[in-house]
Amino acid sequence: AQSVTQLGSHVSVSEGALVLLRCNYSSSVPPYLFWYVQYPNQGLQLLLKYTTGATLVKGINGFEAEFKKSETSFHLTKPSAHMSDAAEYFCAVSDRIQGAQKLVFGQGTRLTINP
Amino acid sequence: EPEVTQTPSHQVTQMGQEVILRCVPISNHLYFYWYRQILGQKVEFLVSFYNNEISEKSEIFDDQFSVERPDGSNFTLKIRSTKLEDSAMYFCASCLNREQYFGPGTRLTVT
């Protein structure tokens, strides 16, 4: 069974500092990988995804993530944090099999930006 | 930009009552899902739906739960007899090209 571990339920960075949110997965074969963001009282919005090809993927709002198969990781980064980045971030995986594949989510990381 | 919509945004019900949560997926999507998020916990998969039938369901999705796509647009989740532990945020999602688009959620409070 697939699982996702996000290290750190809360991360706090200063505005302008590097953002690094960690995600490790467990899967028998490399899955598809996703990062979602959830702003207060809103649904989940897709930030970026990795399915195949280049292992460094760029998403919206300046975020990017790198798939490292050897480390079973898909960490999310942003070079310079902005106040508007404060939100909850979820890493998720799904099977590569065709069809209605469910997402398996990590516990989430709440990102706080200090002025 | 097309989006997934959900109604109501907040539903309060008494234990033992039936509730129906409604979703309108994005029109050209073929796969539909329900997830829930209990306060302070992670988002959990409930059920996936394709071609008018359930594709997969989780252990959470027991006989008290059912889903339906009664017409070409709506996708509903019914809980027949709600329990206190059903209190959660329920998200509908629809999928195209392996990207799932989530609705804003319905907060269900069971008292």
Side-chain angles (χ1 to χ4, degrees):
Chain A
Q2 295 174 319
S3 67
V4 178
T5 302
Q6 290 183 239
L7 269 178
S9 58
H10 288 88
V11 170
S12 181
V13 303
S14 298
E15 190 174 17
L18 170 73
V19 175
L20 170 61
L21 305 183
R22 299 177 188 274
C23 172
N24 288 87
Y25 68 88
S26 173
S27 179
S28 54
V29 294
Y32 289 153
L33 295 149
F34 306 83
W35 275 98
Y36 280 84
V37 60
Q38 185 181 31
Y39 297 103
N41 300 314
Q42 294 187 27
L44 293 95
Q45 181 183 6
L46 180 65
L47 272 179
L48 48 79
K49 68 177 183 183
Y50 171 77
T51 56
T52 187
T55 55
L56 181 64
V57 292
K58 296 186 186 301
I60 61 172
N61 302 340
F63 284 92
E64 59 185 38
E66 186 171 12
F67 168 57
K68 291 187 177 180
K69 183 179 175 182
S70 61
E71 298 178 7
T72 60
S73 69
F74 191 56
H75 301 331
L76 181 71
T77 59
K78 181 173 180 178
S80 177
H82 192 270
M83 295 299 292
S84 61
D85 295 327
E88 184 107 21
Y89 291 80
F90 293 93
C91 182
V93 301
S94 77
D95 267 333
R96 290 181 170 269
I97 303 168
Q98 270 294 88
Q101 296 305 322
K102 66 178 183 285
L103 290 171
V104 174
F105 286 88
Q107 292 280 10
T109 298
R110 183 167 300 279
L111 178 64
T112 303
I113 312 296
N114 303 313
Chain B
E1 186 177 325
E3 57 183 20
V4 177
T5 60
Q6 290 185 243
T7 53
S9 57
H10 192 187
Q11 173 93 45
V12 181
T13 190
Q14 288 191 326
M15 198 166 51
Q17 294 297 304
E18 174 183 286
V19 294
I20 297 177
L21 310 183
R22 302 180 191 281
C23 168
V24 179
I26 296 173
S27 62
N28 62 332
H29 289 189
L30 300 177
Y31 301 98
F32 313 110
Y33 308 80
W34 283 100
Y35 294 84
R36 79 171 185 192
Q37 184 181 29
I38 295 172
L39 188 64
Q41 298 185 24
K42 65 180 176 182
V43 178
E44 301 173 288
F45 167 76
L46 290 177
V47 65
S48 58
F49 193 86
Y50 170 70
N51 201 24
N52 282 320
E53 59 182 29
I54 290 174
S55 301
E56 184 178 357
K57 57 185 181 180
S58 72
E59 293 174 353
I60 304 166
F61 195 88
D62 61 22
D63 292 345
Q64 293 301 311
F65 290 87
S66 62
V67 289
E68 196 176 39
R69 189 158 159 82
D71 53 40
S73 59
N74 290 286
F75 179 50
T76 62
L77 174 69
K78 183 195 291 187
I79 309 175
R80 287 191 186 80
S81 178
T82 49
K83 309 186 203 56
L84 293 176
E85 53 265 38
D86 293 329
S87 294
M89 196 77 166
Y90 289 80
F91 292 107
C92 171
S94 67
C95 183
L96 184 69
N97 297 329
R98 305 307 295 266
E99 290 186 15
Q100 292 190 25
Y101 295 79
F102 284 76
T106 293
R107 179 167 299 285
L108 177 65
T109 303
V110 183
T111 61

